[in-house]
């Protein structure tokens, strides 16, 4: 992205931020109905294209932190290591998200082991602030964001392309011999509200404020994330994300 584009984008984001701030200021002075309506179903399909998904289970015990795929356990309710009750949120999610937050997650693999990825849907509960800007969590977890861009993904039929934010990340660690190594991964996400989809956190904040003021409602927003490994210096993961997201998208739509 060149300088001019960057500054134009910066101005646009500033305007959106200013509008969102105004919207929030107004929200506190008006009565708003909360609605349970979400823009998507809280469910991930078993099959997406030639990917097959399995459920993942997490131990809520911070000191244990074990993770399993559902089929791997005889009793999928109890952690075999420490005896805690397993659930679909990891320790960090359980401690950060309100209890009524909806979350589903699957690990998807393809024949031949190509392009495995994690898919997650987080649906906000009564506390609409439960969905945060993901960049904050990523950097807090020690990932460096090396690239950040919005990718437009064509969808079947007359639908507008889906805009997805893609973060390229790198995390330094020491390998088995103690030598410095880098783990390269990607994190792609977009937000879905009732009749709205956006890759931009600020746009989502704006629409939340707008719907509260103009429509007088506060719907539940969802956040859809895809993550996996990437090859440093290659953009091949963008195609993987596009293939998966375009095939997942129709399965997320709510039946009318
Ligand atoms: Zn455990």
């Amino acid at each position: 992205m060149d300088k001019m584009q960057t500054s134009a984008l910066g101005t646009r984001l500033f305007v959106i931020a200013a509008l969102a701030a105004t919207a929030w200021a107004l929200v506190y002075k008006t009565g708003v109905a909360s609605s349970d309506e979400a823009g998507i179903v809280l469910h991930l399909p078993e099959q997406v294209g030639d990917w097959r998904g399995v459920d993942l289970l997490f131990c809520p015990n911070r000191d244990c932190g074990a993770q399993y795929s559902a089929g791997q356990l005889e009793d999928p309710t109890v952690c075999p290591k420490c005896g805690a009750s397993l659930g679909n949120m990891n320790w960090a999610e359980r401690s950060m998200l309100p209890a009524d937050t909806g979350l589903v997650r699957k690990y998807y693999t393809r024949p031949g082991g190509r392009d495995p990825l994690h898919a997650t849907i987080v649906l906000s509960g009564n506390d609409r602030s439960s969905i945060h800007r993901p960049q904050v969590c990523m950097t807090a977890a020690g990932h460096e964001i090396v690239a950040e861009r919005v990718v437009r993904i064509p969808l079947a039929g007359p639908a507008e392309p889906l805009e997805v934010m893609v973060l390229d990340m790198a995390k330094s660690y020491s390998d088995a011999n103690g030598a410095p190594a880098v783990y390269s991964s990607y994190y792609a996400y977009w937000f879905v509200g009732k009749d709205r989809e956006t890759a931009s956190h600020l746009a989502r904040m704006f629409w939340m404020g707008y719907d509260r003021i103009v429509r007088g409602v506060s719907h539940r927003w969802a956040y859809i994330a895809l993550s996996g490994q990437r090859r440093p210096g290659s953009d091949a993961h963008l195609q993987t994300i596009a293939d998966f997201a375009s095939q997942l998208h129709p399965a997320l739509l709510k039946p009318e």
Side-chain angles (χ1 to χ4, degrees), residues 59 61 64 66 79 81-82 84:
C59 179
N61 179 352
C64 174
C79 176
K81 276 192 195 161
C82 75

Side-chain angles (χ1 to χ4, degrees), residues 58-68 78-86:
F58 296 87
C59 179
N61 179 352
R62 190 181 186 176
D63 298 325
C64 174
Q67 179 183 327
Y68 309 94
V78 178
C79 176
K81 276 192 195 161
C82 75
S85 303
L86 296 173

Side-chain angles (χ1 to χ4, degrees), residues 115-118 173 182-186 227-232 236-237 240:
D115 315 320
L117 59 86
H118 289 269
Y173 68 100
V182 174
Y183 176 74
S184 298
S185 61
Y186 65 83
S227 61
Q229 254 181 290
R230 67 181 173 88
R231 275 202 311 279
H237 58 296
T240 305

Side-chain angles (χ1 to χ4, degrees), residues 110-226:
R110 280 175 132 165
R114 290 175 303 130
D115 315 320
L117 59 86
H118 289 269
T120 309
I121 306 175
V122 179
L123 183 63
S124 65
N126 275 324
D127 176 3
R128 302 299 200 248
S129 68
S130 59
I131 298 179
H132 295 273
R133 193 167 172 269
Q135 282 83 340
V136 178
C137 307
M138 291 300 140
T139 44
H143 294 278
E144 188 198 343
I145 298 167
V146 293
E148 178 174 343
R149 68 274 215 219
V150 173
V151 175
R152 287 168 65 84
I153 299 172
L155 297 174
E160 288 282 302
L162 173 68
E163 295 197 342
V164 175
M165 181 73 82
V166 180
L167 311 179
D168 287 1
M169 296 183 304
K171 187 172 186 173
S172 303
Y173 68 100
S174 299
D175 71 10
N177 302 317
V182 174
Y183 176 74
S184 298
S185 61
Y186 65 83
Y187 192 85
Y189 65 87
W190 73 99
F191 301 100
V192 185
K194 188 165 160 46
D195 309 324
R196 309 200 185 284
E197 272 180 325
T198 177
S200 157
H201 175 74
L202 288 169
R204 181 180 76 90
M205 299 293 277
F206 170 75
W207 286 123
M208 279 177 70
Y210 178 91
D211 284 346
R212 279 178 176 233
I213 293 161
V214 176
R215 294 176 168 182
V217 287
S218 166
H219 294 301
R220 300 177 73 180
W221 276 76
Y223 158 72
I224 294 146
L226 309 176

